[in-house]
Amino acid sequence: MILCDVHTHSNNSFDAESTVEEMCKSALNKGFYAIAITDHCEAPFIKFGYNEEFGDFNERIPLSFLQTKNAQIKYRQKLKVLCGIELGEPMHDPECTKKALSFGDFDFVLASLHNLKNMEDFYFIDFNNCNISEILKLYFNELAETATFSDFDSLAHLTYPLRYIFETTWEYPDLTPYQDVIDDIYRTLISNNKALEINTSGLFKPIGRTLPDEFQLKRYRELGGKLITVGSDAHTSTAVGNGIEEGIRLAHKCGFKSYTIFEKRRPIAMPIEF
């Protein structure tokens, strides 16, 4: 089986601890064909520079890009190293988003939504004391808007808030009320030749499933989805590759014959073979 992990974070992300070098060494030692370093860049916060709690993205992302480019050269005979970025909230501030994408000639752009407009990250929300249904309605509507963004390659962790909702309430929300909007997200991705990510981080969290889960992946496939990426969302070198094989097997179970990596923003099919 060809193993690729295209969602990882080095210590150029505000919430990660391992260097690009350490992330690449881990992927190589685990027998991976490819790794993408996709450090966080929360687009609307770029304009705050050093005054932003996440650090200055104007320095963090170019540094991440440079270090990843150096790793590409160093490991070119042993490991495919891809320069990526996890572009958070690309629709919140178009000018900041444009600037984020100018920080490097990226191979791969993940689009994500960690917080709603004028709200904090879902990580910080107390879901025991809020209207979960309303938050999920707003989330999927805003994610549908994000899916229309033209300059990305894969939509990250579709069911991101559920990870924290479950950890707080120990209940997995019924997504039936939002399925029409979710289906619209899938149709947008499909019509624009964008990929959907299978994020395996949830396998190692209390939620115990990928983001999105099997039901949603099957629905995406039913609607004609063909492009998927698989990422661990690793924030340490030891977590590189976690759950990737399981994610690939799940993709196969849901009807996919291959998964995708991106190089110079072009999709490359990785056959799923056991």
Side-chain angles (χ1 to χ4, degrees):
M1 183 187 297
I2 302 172
L3 298 175
C4 306
D5 188 349
V6 294
H7 186 165
T8 71
H9 299 279
S10 77
N11 61 357
N12 293 303
S13 286
F14 54 87
D15 55 354
E17 61 183 56
S18 301
T19 65
V20 169
E21 173 77 8
E22 290 167 338
M23 302 296 279
C24 291
K25 279 186 178 179
S26 179
L28 180 62
N29 291 338
K30 293 177 181 180
F32 273 64
Y33 171 74
I35 183 175
I37 305 297
T38 53
D39 281 315
H40 284 295
C41 184
E42 306 303 308
F45 296 98
I46 289 174
K47 58 181 172 286
F48 299 124
Y50 283 111
N51 295 318
E52 210 287 308
E53 63 177 315
F54 301 137
D56 188 356
F57 292 116
N58 297 282
E59 290 190 356
R60 285 180 178 270
I61 301 306
L63 182 58
S64 172
F65 181 81
L66 176 62
Q67 292 174 352
T68 306
K69 276 293 186 185
N70 289 338
Q72 276 186 342
I73 297 170
K74 180 175 180 177
Y75 291 99
R76 63 182 177 274
Q77 302 297 329
K78 301 176 181 179
L79 175 72
K80 185 177 288 294
V81 179
L82 302 168
C83 294
I85 183 173
E86 183 178 354
L87 184 61
E89 301 77 55
M91 307 301 278
H92 287 194
D93 190 320
E95 287 303 312
C96 283
T97 294
K98 183 178 179 180
K99 186 170 185 180
L101 292 171
S102 74
F103 287 146
D105 182 19
F106 297 104
D107 288 302
F108 179 48
V109 177
L110 272 170
S112 63
L113 184 61
H114 297 120
N115 61 275
L116 300 173
K117 293 175 182 175
N118 302 314
M119 290 184 64
E120 60 188 351
D121 192 303
F122 294 105
Y123 174 85
F124 297 106
I125 295 176
D126 180 3
F127 288 104
N128 282 316
N129 293 290
C130 66
N131 188 330
I132 292 175
S133 296
E134 182 62 22
I135 286 178
L136 287 177
K137 177 182 177 181
L138 292 170
Y139 171 72
F140 286 116
N141 283 336
E142 193 167 318
L143 197 64
E145 180 187 11
T146 303
T148 67
F149 177 57
S150 61
D151 206 355
F152 77 99
D153 303 307
S154 184
L155 186 65
H157 45 56
L158 179 90
T159 48
Y160 176 74
L162 273 60
R163 186 165 71 183
Y164 303 113
I165 291 172
F166 187 86
E167 289 178 6
T168 304
T169 68
W170 296 101
E171 294 182 0
Y172 193 84
D174 177 13
L175 297 185
T176 303
Y178 322 103
Q179 195 62 50
D180 286 347
V181 178
I182 296 172
D183 286 353
D184 285 342
I185 293 170
Y186 296 153
R187 292 188 182 98
T188 299
L189 296 177
I190 293 164
S191 64
N192 293 334
N193 293 312
K194 306 298 184 185
L196 176 70
E197 182 193 51
I198 299 176
N199 187 298
T200 63
S201 66
L203 296 173
F204 306 92
K205 304 286 186 180
I207 196 171
R209 62 183 79 186
T210 58
L211 311 172
D213 63 11
E214 180 178 337
F215 176 87
Q216 292 298 334
L217 290 168
K218 285 181 175 178
R219 181 60 180 159
Y220 172 64
R221 186 74 184 95
E222 287 171 1
L223 292 173
K226 296 180 180 179
L227 298 178
I228 54 168
T229 61
V230 186
S232 68
D233 210 343
H235 284 62
T236 64
S237 60
T238 56
V240 169
N242 281 359
I244 295 298
E245 184 171 343
E246 292 92 329
I248 294 171
R249 290 186 180 277
L250 177 59
H252 186 263
K253 181 179 180 181
C254 293
F256 295 92
K257 303 302 181 185
S258 65
Y259 68 103
T260 306
I261 67 173
F262 286 81
E263 188 169 6
K264 300 185 184 302
R265 306 297 301 280
R266 294 193 298 270
I268 300 172
M270 297 288 109
I272 299 176
E273 299 172 338
F274 302 111

